[in-house]
Amino acid sequence: METIVAAPVSTAVKQKKIALVGNPNSGKSTLFNALTGLNQKTGNFPGVTVDKKTATVRKKISGRQIDFYFTDLPGTYSLYPKSPDEEVATRVLTEKENPDHPVVTIIVADATNLKRSLFLAGQIIDLRLPCVLVLNIMDEAEKAGFYIDQNRLANRLGIPVIGISARTKTGIDQLERLIAGDVTIPAYGFIDVTSIGEEAVKLINKTHSKHSPYQALHRAHRLYRTDESWKKKLEAIGFSSPAVQAEESMMRYGVIGEHIAACTGAKAERSLFSGKLDKVLTHRIWGYAIFLLLLLAVFQSIFFLAEWPMQWIESGFASLQKFCAASLPGGILTDLFVSGILAGLSGVVVFVPQIALLFFFIALLEDSGYMARVSFIMDKLMRRIGLHGRSVVPLISGMACAVPAIMSTRTISNWKERLITIMVTPLMSCSARLPVYTLLISLVIPKIIVGGIFQLQALALMAMYLLGFFTAIFAAWVFSKIIQAKEKSWFIMELPVYRMPKWSNVFYTIYEKVKVFLFDAGKVIVAV
């Protein structure tokens, strides 16, 4: 795949801040992993509990050593935020004083759904930020017969455009050479916003430092949303943020339609294979049945596969405790070390196999594209009890550990639905209860086969988990009646095509989740 450069490339700098931004399911995190390898650090953005993935990587490009500081911004559909994740991404891009504000922004677009991705790209272009449009998943687009004229698209947008496949690392070298050079600001804007916000732009530029039209309009939207006095000033000149956003969106999609018609050779459609599967997996009856069968298969696997490593860990710590008790002199300190610290560590580490296995299966379902379908089919049911389609993932994750599950609720934009999800997630049967379930089931339930396939013990285990699930559902319904909110929410999700999971992403997810359990929850458990 060739690189298309719409701006001249000059000398490199010693260090460059690079931000990756894109829609959810566009392959942004996969590209981040391909660019950074294992040099990543995970923390939180200042002041918010939103994951911050960064990496400093030194690369030798065209004979020069360059330090890249990469930031993987949370997925967002627009620069008008609807959730804490989108708010963080918007602030990093729009506030020059932000410590993570980039020198170059890599806009990751799904080549199989270019129309959706160009909306966000157009907003970043209008912010006059030096940026590169990366058309990811080009291999799947080409297989589907979807052709994109990258040269023409680059000329129409006024920014560099490059086609890659982050999963196979095709085009990564060309991208690195491109961002190592001098990526200039876009040659021209995406749309002319003065016709819809001229008075607001004038008002902002009178009281703030001089901005480009879209930068001023974007600031007006933010002040309208966050500052009551400014909201009154803007309304006094006839500015309504929702109405202007709607008009702006119509303008953007009109321009996007022109670009799509001029630069693509076929309509991007979901593959026939994905379409056929969706008729079954998102069916209003069979969709739920298949999901329950998959959960049963996951529980049956966890019930048996985690048993052996858990026994090894328990016996290993027991042997270590005996050895230390026999080798160390008797006393309070030895008792504290043997019966306190080692026993505490054993009580934490012993759950790692179950947590790793459960997140392994969840990562497989997410990376294959199935988990998006689960959120889709469950949304209608969840809304009846005050939850959100995205609540499904935290609830399932809560079966492993409530700590990372509660952290994942930040992608739910509506505060009421997010709060209810946080409150009911601990009702799910987490891995800490699994040994108790296992012991009781082993004592009470006989080892017999039901239907020639399933173990009765596995069915009993699933019943225990379903009991926790339905208890959480009932509690959510009660909370939805108690907690009142006027805010409305919409569930918009692009269903990605089905694909083979990328194993490096799966195992990195397991590593991150296990690390959160060991070092965040584990420290508290050991201390107690």
Side-chain angles (χ1 to χ4, degrees), residues 227-246:
D227 190 316
E228 192 64 31
S229 63
W230 262 100
K231 182 178 180 179
K232 292 179 180 178
K233 290 180 184 179
L234 290 165
E235 286 180 339
I237 61 172
F239 179 86
S240 170
S241 182
V244 172
Q245 284 186 35

Side-chain angles (χ1 to χ4, degrees), residues 1 16 32 84 94 103 105 108 128 147 157 166 188 206 224 260 315 356 361 410 436 448 454 513 515 524:
M1 299 176 186
K16 301 191 76 169
F32 180 74
T94 58
V103 174
T105 301
V108 184
R128 316 302 287 164
Y147 170 74
L157 297 179
Y188 28 80
K206 281 181 181 178
Y224 186 95
I260 295 293
S315 61
F361 289 117
R410 63 177 180 271
V436 180
I448 59 176
F454 300 110
K513 300 299 184 181
K515 185 174 72 172
V524 178

Side-chain angles (χ1 to χ4, degrees), residues 9-51:
V9 177
S10 62
T11 58
V13 296
K14 291 184 179 179
Q15 186 182 54
K16 301 191 76 169
K17 285 186 179 180
I18 311 292
L20 281 77
V21 64
N23 299 155
N25 296 319
S26 62
K28 176 176 57 64
S29 295
T30 304
L31 176 58
F32 180 74
N33 293 339
L35 289 168
T36 61
L38 299 176
N39 299 304
Q40 303 172 14
K41 292 183 180 180
T42 303
N44 286 332
F45 285 94
V48 288
T49 55
V50 174
D51 280 350

Side-chain angles (χ1 to χ4, degrees), residues 191-203:
I191 62 171
D192 181 11
V193 298
T194 55
S195 62
I196 57 173
E198 185 174 4
E199 294 301 320
V201 169
K202 289 179 180 178
L203 180 61

